[in-house]
Amino acid sequence: MEEDKTHKKSKQNRSSPELFPGEPLLRRSTELINSLISLSQSIRVFAVKWQSIRSKLEELLSSLYAAGTSDSGENSSLSGAIPAILDTITECHDLARRCVDLSYSGKLLMQSDLDIICAKFDTHINNLSQICSEKLQRDSYAMVVSRPGFGASREEIKFYVNDLVSRMKIGGRELKKQALIAFNEVIHEDERYVKIAVEIESLIGFLVKFIDSREVAIQEEAVKAISVISGFDSGKSVLVCAGVIAPLIRVLESGNEVGKQMSTRCLMKLTENSDNAWSVSAHGGVTALLKMCTNCDCGGELVCGVLKNLVGVEEIKRFMVEEGAISVFVRLLRSKDEVSQINSIEFLQIMAFGDETIRRMIVREGGIRELVRVLDPKSTFPTKAREMALRAIVNLCFSSMSDLNDLMVYGFMDHLFYFLRLGEVSVQELALKVAFQLCGISEEAKKAMGDAGFMPELVKLLGAKSFEVREMAAETLFSMVLVPRNRKLFVQNSQNLGLLLQFLDPEEANSGTRKFLLSILMSLTRCNSARKKIIHSGYLENIEKLAKAEVSDAKKLVRKLSSNRFRNMLSGIWHF
């Protein structure tokens, strides 16, 4: 036994940090604690114990910083407490070294020693807390220490943050608020402060605790800080482990508007990690968010952002449906707030994606009618909302003939034609894409488009600057003239054929547009009147040039034009 004590003593002398005479004890204490925290990170045994010890060391460090900052110098109570703290740090350093080297004599004995060290740290922390309280009572003008300058070292930043933590811990209402304001200033300007903050468990704990504060200013500053920290991956996990989700949701349920907005922002960042979605739902987050939409017509970007993050979990999506999310967001389609309306359109599409049951539910709740209403040219909805509504109609309605019929009843075809003819460039191009998709659904849809006057507008778009627009217009028009009734309507308008032939340029490089134009002409030759107009149009020469250039579609067209009673008219022009 005596031999073991001798070994322990010699080991301690060999591996513990050396104390230098004359060095300020407070500064030496903080340096040793930082060194011990660093050393403990490399320990692979008794992980839970050492995690607890690290937390106590961080708290002890904060308490030392708080007790040691004074305008009147170091007080006698602190001077008397530091030697005992140094002894405990030295003893803990020896235990840490033996755990790193795996040189301890037995697990049970080491566990006992670690428990004793934890108890000693608790005693020191309590003593320092009392010293700080007395000090603050004496000094009513206690202020937050000056922040480090630009380019400060990590240790200087950590010293400053720990000082703020100590004031959050032991200060009164005003001092806590000042510390939080100062903390928010630095983390907004320099992310190094955030990286250090997530390492200080007690700081994160205080921020989470302050969310429930009755002092609005303290609550808002705490949530503001959490919003910044939650923007970092390392911060998300630390905050969730500290239990941040439940108090954030309590703010959604009963906080003021500013608090709700900031809490929602935090939740949106935290739920970017789908693992946190369950926690939000379990604490009533879905219900609280939907209630915000219902009560204040607020389907804004933040609320929808959180819900969109949550909807990726199938069970949570089902719960949203049970809670009435579909009817809530269909109602928000009528909102006069552009952001709420746009986010509602997007959210409903996400909900319905790949889910026929939810798609039908949106239809039953009146979603189609509301989306068509957004497209009404007489309304004052913004361009972006109209674009979103068009896309949503395609996604929600084009897979069902009955829904397409409802669209026609609600005036969708007239609205689509209006934007194809007179819409802003972005809406016009989107309307063209929708028309193209509509042609691929059924012959009845093509007939309806022909009756609505789409073909002359599509011919005009053949002269658009955009190659993509020209080609899509040509392909859509080709699909439409395959319908006999549309061919007759097309030929009846004398301008249609003339413009079509005009856009057939033999000098233009081979393109999809030219291919579709030739295919359109080929289809039109089924009408006698169309064949006559093509031959007498003055543009027949362009078709012949293409045929001579071995363009197969042009050759087929010439053959078609030269058949039957027109053969004699064209003999001598082309020989086979």
Side-chain angles (χ1 to χ4, degrees), residues 99-111:
C99 285
V100 170
D101 297 340
L102 302 179
S103 58
Y104 50 87
S105 57
K107 288 186 177 181
L108 291 177
L109 179 59
M110 177 55 72
Q111 285 179 339

Side-chain angles (χ1 to χ4, degrees), residues 188-218:
H188 275 88
E189 296 173 10
D190 191 340
E191 67 178 37
R192 291 183 300 166
Y193 285 87
V194 178
K195 294 177 179 178
I196 287 174
V198 298
E199 298 173 2
I200 303 175
E201 186 176 339
S202 58
L203 170 57
I204 302 300
F206 285 133
L207 293 177
V208 172
K209 177 183 176 182
F210 290 153
I211 299 175
D212 285 323
S213 174
R214 294 182 180 180
E215 295 294 331
V216 175
I218 290 177

